[in-house]
Amino acid sequence: MKTLIRALASALALAASFSGSVMAADEYPSKPIRMVVPFPPGGSIDMVARLLGQKLSEDLRQPVIVDNRPGASGNIGMDLVAKSPKDGYTLVMAPFSVATNAHLFQKLPFDPLKDLAPIIRVADQPNVLIVNTTKVAAKSLPELVAYLKANPGKLSFGTSGIGNPQDLSARIFMSATGTDMVNVAYKGGAPALADLVGGHVDLMFETSPTAVPYVRSGKLKALAVTSDKRLPTLPDVPTVAEAGIPNFKAIYWMGLLAPGGTPAAIVQKLNAATQKVLSAPDVQKQLTEISLYPAGGSAAEFAALIRSESEFYAKLIKDLNIPQQ
């Protein structure tokens, strides 16, 4: 009899939990949603978050407010969201570093794989290898590689910090070509770009949305893009693989995540709404125009990507001897 009572109690508790989850999803959202961007305003992730937030506001009929919380390679903003209520009202537009930071920092205040719930991969962005033409005479990637091999350590590259996309792309490039350059790490992409234009560093692997305007204005020259296909916004610039380094690809994604433990029904509702936004022709056009590749897919696919990327970069970071911070 006691066993039967316990079984009935467990069944009722499970039913109540399921009912509450469904009700929460049915009622969600009933107030504004905060979308944390763990970087300063003006960068590619910030641009995408503001576009997505505007479109989601229209679809979900609630304001989506972008909240910039920069610092520590995105860890401050991601930690804030990881520790927020699990109700779908605090989200983060996170870079691929959600899969790498655990291997780059000796201690994180949160577990990226457990404390954040993947919702959807939003967009992919390659890097563009850009050079200061007054400091770098090479007009093509093969010419640059030849110069670097003949002059190890003579050229410098700027990054927005150790382990960030610019840094990883440059390290992968040096490993693939057997070359050596001086790494100059800045506190952000903007000061690194300013110094590249000013000639204080020689080259940079910069994210495509930020790099393309400098190339189009003639301030910097693009030698290659790190994706496996050319950018529509730079159709005359070859991929690194096309320029003579086979199998080279370094493409970095950004995606939407919620606090770990957010009800699956709410995650699914956000996934469906975001997928609808990303499928709209005007949104695809706007993302393409800022040199991004629109993405999408299920929450499960995004979770699997983060896990596989975490494993890949754990080995890469070790192989390239990238120091932990």
Side-chain angles (χ1 to χ4, degrees):
M1 186 67 178
K2 289 182 178 178
T3 302
L4 178 60
I5 290 172
R6 283 198 296 269
L8 286 171
S10 297
L12 287 171
L14 180 62
S17 173
F18 176 77
S19 174
S21 176
V22 171
M23 286 179 65
D26 287 343
E27 296 168 358
Y28 175 86
S30 59
K31 61 181 182 179
I33 298 168
R34 176 169 60 155
M35 186 185 295
V36 172
V37 172
F39 294 97
S44 56
I45 292 178
D46 181 69
M47 287 189 279
V48 174
R50 292 180 188 280
L51 171 61
L52 184 62
Q54 175 192 343
K55 297 295 183 178
L56 283 176
S57 294
E58 297 168 5
D59 188 77
L60 297 173
R61 299 184 179 182
Q62 287 291 342
V64 177
I65 302 164
V66 174
D67 182 8
N68 296 88
R69 295 297 183 98
S73 297
N75 289 331
I76 290 175
M78 288 190 283
D79 180 50
L80 184 156
V81 175
K83 293 178 169 62
S84 293
K86 312 173 192 301
D87 55 10
Y89 290 102
T90 303
L91 312 175
V92 62
M93 179 66 75
F96 92 111
S97 55
V98 73
T100 61
N101 280 4
H103 313 298
L104 291 167
F105 289 83
Q106 294 183 23
K107 187 175 181 180
L108 286 181
F110 67 103
D111 185 331
L113 299 183
K114 293 180 180 179
D115 298 334
L116 291 169
I119 296 171
I120 191 169
R121 185 168 121 249
V122 174
D124 296 333
Q125 62 178 359
N127 280 344
V128 182
L129 172 52
I130 46 180
V131 301
N132 181 304
T133 54
T134 62
K135 299 291 295 297
V136 179
K139 293 181 171 57
S140 68
L141 189 60
E143 287 184 16
L144 175 65
V145 172
Y147 178 86
L148 289 172
K149 287 185 174 181
N151 300 275
K154 288 291 182 68
L155 295 185
S156 61
F157 66 94
T159 77
S160 60
I162 293 175
N164 281 344
Q166 301 97 327
D167 180 57
L168 285 174
S169 289
R171 290 174 188 267
I172 295 169
F173 172 79
M174 288 189 291
S175 177
T177 57
T179 56
D180 181 48
M181 297 183 287
V182 177
N183 185 341
V184 182
Y186 293 81
K187 292 183 178 180
L193 268 170
D195 269 10
L196 177 59
V197 173
H200 302 293
V201 290
D202 303 306
L203 59 89
M204 188 172 178
F205 284 83
E206 179 56 293
T207 54
S208 50
T210 310
V212 169
Y214 284 87
V215 175
R216 285 177 166 174
S217 70
K219 292 180 179 179
L220 299 168
K221 181 176 178 59
L223 298 185
V225 296
T226 65
S227 53
D228 53 2
K229 57 185 177 182
R230 296 192 183 197
L231 277 171
T233 48
L234 293 176
D236 297 327
V237 178
T239 68
V240 174
E242 285 178 327
I245 305 174
N247 303 317
F248 185 102
K249 183 174 76 168
I251 192 161
Y252 306 97
W253 43 262
M254 62 184 77
L256 198 61
L257 299 98
T262 297
I266 289 178
V267 169
Q268 178 54 36
K269 191 165 188 175
L270 285 165
N271 176 277
T274 308
Q275 186 68 67
K276 180 180 175 183
V277 168
L278 292 174
S279 300
D282 65 319
V283 172
Q284 294 202 354
K285 182 174 182 290
Q286 288 181 69
L287 290 176
T288 301
E289 285 177 345
I290 61 171
S291 306
L292 293 173
Y293 303 119
S298 69
E301 289 170 337
F302 187 29
L305 173 67
I306 293 173
R307 287 194 298 271
S308 67
E309 291 276 80
S310 179
E311 293 171 2
F312 172 79
Y313 280 105
K315 183 177 184 304
L316 181 70
I317 289 165
K318 183 178 180 181
D319 291 347
L320 295 179
N321 295 313
I322 299 177
Q324 284 194 323
Q325 300 178 56

